[in-house]
Amino acid sequence: NALFALATADDADGLSKALGDIDLARIHNEAGESLYRFALFHGHAKCAAALERHGALPLHDAALAGDAGRVAVLLDAAPWAVDLLSPDGWTALHLAAFVGKDAAADALLARGASARIMGRAFEQNLAVHAACAGRRLGKAVFAKLVAATGDPNAPQKQGYTPLMIAAGNGFVDAVDVLLAAGADCTLKQAEGKSAADLARERGHNELAKRLE
């Protein structure tokens, strides 16, 4: 609790002093967030940077930070960990894909990370859906992720396909890759909206025209 309080205050100096030789892999809040994920996703940028400098990030956090070298070291030691879910419900591949850490995502795929594992967090989806939501993953690595997923039309729990999410977010590179992989533009989610409909709702009119 003291460590998370320091992160909440974005007290990087205090957090650095308090860390000592604590094993960061064992530190989570009640929601299952690691200290690093909490700092990063809640906007405590100074503490997130301090944790990166501290080093020794566990696998999921190393993937989120884009530290492909650290990912490789950890998987050399424990290759079985590549598909483990974090306490808050994500694979390392989900996290790297969402924040657009190409090198880390590529390293995970090269080590055999499965793109077919559903996250168990608030958003029950595949890594390809996370990438479309984050809209930051590079085109080449995104293409590898789509290929590893095996189905460009795979829905997440609420019925949205990768194409629907990418179109709604105006993620043109992802739309290009998904269409080339055979994504179906005619599919609709539960409310009857297609990828084109979702693109138009968000103001991506040229993309909507292309998908109609």
Side-chain angles (χ1 to χ4, degrees), residues 25-129:
R26 304 299 300 274
I27 305 299
H28 299 89
N29 63 12
E30 292 180 356
E33 292 175 303
S34 71
L35 191 59
Y36 177 67
R37 290 195 295 283
F38 175 82
L40 188 68
F41 287 144
H42 293 274
H44 310 307
K46 293 178 183 177
C47 281
L51 287 162
E52 290 177 11
R53 291 193 298 271
H54 178 76
L57 291 175
L59 177 63
H60 294 82
D61 289 348
L64 187 61
D67 189 344
R70 175 69 176 164
V71 167
V73 167
L74 292 170
L75 291 179
D76 282 343
W80 47 266
V82 69
D83 288 330
L84 285 181
L85 290 172
S86 65
D88 53 345
W90 305 111
T91 66
L93 185 58
H94 274 90
L95 294 166
F98 177 68
V99 295
K101 299 300 184 180
D102 288 38
D106 200 25
L108 287 161
L109 288 169
R111 296 296 186 110
S114 174
R116 296 291 300 177
I117 295 175
M118 280 279 184
R120 301 292 191 271
F122 60 91
E123 188 73 58
Q124 295 181 37
N125 60 12
L126 300 175
V128 69
H129 302 118

